[in-house]
Amino acid sequence: MDLRDFVDALLRFESVARAEAPAQQWVKNRLHDSEFDTYEWTADPARLAGHPSFPDDPDDIDTANRPSVAGVFEFGDPDAGRTLVLNGHVDVVPADRELWSHDPFLPDWDDDAGTVSARGAADMKAGLAACVFAALDLRDAVEAGDLALDGRVVVESVAGEEDGGIGAAAAAIDNPYPFERDAALVAEPTRLKPVVATEGSVMKRLHLTGRTAHAASRWRGVDVIEKFEAIREAFFDLEAERTDAVSHPRFDYPIPWPVCVGRLEAGSWASSVAGTLTAEWRLGVAPGETVAEVEAAFEERLARVVADDEWLSAHPPAFERFSVQFEPAETDADEPVVEALRAALRADGRDDEPVGATYGADSRHYVEAGIPTVLFGPGNIDHAHFPDETVEWAEVEVARDVIGETATRFLQSR
């Protein structure tokens, strides 16, 4: 099976949350067939509940039938060398099929454009495949006598990244291997840029209560949508203030710490003044900040709006966390894994300047565990979660080569 066949087959699995197991069994079988030493683990909800990314109640963390798998190659004297983890997640977000031009789980190869389109093409099955084949290339070079190495390369296919990093968090908290890990590369879609800093986020749910009234006498009601608009404006004012006040040299974006209202539900009848509202927010957290600090800033801004409004003061909103939280993470650019990746990029004639990303990733779990981690992979995050998600095939092939060269340089530089 070559790289294209591997990607094509993997994209056909509808490996959304809580349905990763068939894809993971297939990946594990392919790793075994390629003579990797294979590993498998399932996250313990009780262990994750003690981690700030996840809900406090283990019953709210679904890990059943969601295995993560890995393959390991050992070279020379593995204990005398370094161990590098090449990580990718197999889970994908759901696809609104009616918005796609084709079945999202039947890969659409456009050889003229040099692309493949499918759910997970960019985020991030092509990157995972690049890791697998980079490791295979390394093994083949060692076996052919063209390369001498000491150390290990681990290829991980983890579950539940979109749910906060279930598989990676479990691997970081309870090492599933009988050896230590020195560094990691996570093959998220970075457009072949080295990403050394990732943004965090906090998820908050806002509940507002107004007073319903018949539309014919709406002045007798209290329109909760008007109250929400005042809060929304205050939150976007705070976003603008944070854009000016919170700087980071690797985040050159128009809005580096975005605020997003991703879901809004209000009212119960078109002919009634809306009396209830629920809004779900995603609030960006800069590297160097904590989730709690940013959460407190928005809670304080909400309190100002409430204090200035007689109705809200008498009927205070509820504003609580929900779902999973993403802590920001950063790895120094002079870490050996980053230096190895930058050297591999320069050798390929590519830009090696480290950048930051306005999304969260599994890298944070490894960084928290003391494992320096860099993000690098094919594809554009702008295609992730989108209809007709697409990756350029040439980028996948480049990623394979650069990841292989990165691993070579990292293991040789000890």
Side-chain angles (χ1 to χ4, degrees):
M1 178 176 283
D2 64 12
L3 176 60
R4 176 166 169 154
D5 289 340
F6 187 100
V7 170
D8 184 85
L10 189 56
L11 290 172
R12 293 173 185 269
F13 287 95
E14 193 169 346
S15 53
V16 296
R18 292 169 290 283
E20 297 103 325
Q24 292 291 62
Q25 186 59 57
W26 182 87
V27 171
K28 186 178 181 182
N29 289 344
R30 300 293 77 72
L31 294 173
H32 178 268
D33 292 346
S34 298
E35 301 181 336
F36 286 87
D37 294 328
T38 58
Y39 293 80
E40 180 175 328
W41 65 95
T42 299
D44 179 354
R47 294 285 285 159
L48 296 186
H51 189 284
S53 283
F54 299 96
D56 295 332
D57 186 346
D59 290 339
D60 293 333
I61 309 172
D62 188 354
T63 68
N65 200 33
R66 306 182 73 179
S68 294
V69 302
V72 179
F73 281 142
E74 295 190 335
F75 306 113
D77 181 354
D79 293 327
R82 289 173 166 152
T83 296
L84 176 64
V85 175
L86 306 178
N87 169 282
H89 64 84
V90 78
D91 58 308
V92 299
V93 297
D96 296 321
R97 293 174 184 266
E98 65 276 10
L99 301 179
W100 283 65
S101 65
H102 61 91
D103 186 323
F105 295 99
L106 289 179
D108 182 20
W109 294 87
D110 186 335
D111 291 331
D112 290 335
T115 61
V116 58
S117 173
R119 173 56 84 221
D123 187 21
M124 59 173 292
K125 291 180 177 179
L128 172 57
C131 291
V132 172
F133 280 81
L136 288 170
D137 292 341
L138 212 62
R139 187 273 311 271
D140 291 347
V142 170
E143 290 187 348
D146 298 329
L147 187 63
L149 294 174
D150 292 319
R152 300 179 185 86
V153 171
V154 181
V155 179
E156 291 183 343
S157 176
V158 294
E161 190 270 353
E162 302 289 356
D163 284 345
I166 285 172
I173 294 169
D174 297 310
N175 185 358
Y177 312 111
F179 48 79
E180 295 304 315
R181 299 150 295 176
D182 295 295
L185 181 151
V186 177
E188 287 282 2
T190 70
R191 301 194 72 182
L192 304 178
K193 301 282 189 181
V195 171
V196 296
T198 55
E199 185 174 323
S201 63
V202 56
M203 307 291 281
K204 298 281 282 185
R205 183 179 286 127
L206 174 71
H207 294 285
L208 298 178
T209 302
R211 184 171 61 208
T212 60
H214 195 289
S217 55
R218 68 178 180 85
W219 58 88
R220 298 186 183 278
V222 176
D223 187 350
V224 75
I225 296 174
E226 293 181 3
K227 304 301 180 184
F228 170 74
E229 284 299 322
I231 295 170
R232 181 176 181 271
E233 182 178 356
F235 279 13
F236 282 114
D237 285 346
L238 181 54
E239 176 193 70
E241 293 169 20
R242 284 172 46 74
T243 295
D244 293 336
V246 182
S247 62
H248 191 287
R250 305 207 186 277
F251 284 79
D252 183 19
Y253 298 97
I255 306 174
W257 328 120
V259 171
C260 178
V261 187
R263 182 176 173 275
L264 182 67
E265 183 176 353
S268 58
W269 190 251
S271 189
S272 298
V273 172
T276 58
L277 182 145
T278 300
E280 293 179 349
W281 300 79
R282 186 266 199 193
L283 313 174
V285 182
E289 295 183 312
T290 68
V291 166
E293 288 170 348
V294 173
E295 181 179 35
F298 281 88
E299 288 177 342
E300 190 276 333
R301 188 58 55 97
L302 174 62
R304 288 195 209 175
V305 177
V306 170
D308 289 341
D309 185 283
E310 183 177 352
W311 177 267
L312 290 177
S313 295
H315 305 82
F319 193 43
E320 72 267 349
R321 288 191 190 186
F322 75 102
S323 187
V324 295
Q325 317 309 319
F326 281 71
E327 299 74 29
E330 187 167 10
T331 294
D332 289 341
D334 60 359
E335 283 288 345
V337 67
V338 181
E339 291 183 336
L341 173 57
R342 296 185 68 185
L345 285 166
R346 289 194 301 270
D348 199 53
R350 296 181 179 275
D351 182 8
D352 73 323
E353 183 62 29
V355 297
T358 56
Y359 53 82
D362 275 345
S363 55
R364 73 192 193 281
H365 295 303
Y366 298 102
V367 171
E368 289 169 2
I371 302 169
T373 305
V374 62
L375 269 62
F376 173 82
N380 188 338
I381 195 65
D382 291 347
H383 285 278
H385 304 194
F386 272 52
D388 289 352
E389 178 182 345
T390 300
V391 68
E392 294 182 12
W393 189 246
E395 285 196 8
V396 183
E397 293 176 324
V398 169
R400 170 187 183 172
D401 293 341
V402 170
I403 291 170
E405 181 65 17
T406 299
T408 299
R409 291 172 181 268
F410 181 74
L411 297 185
Q412 286 180 329
S413 63
R414 187 174 180 89

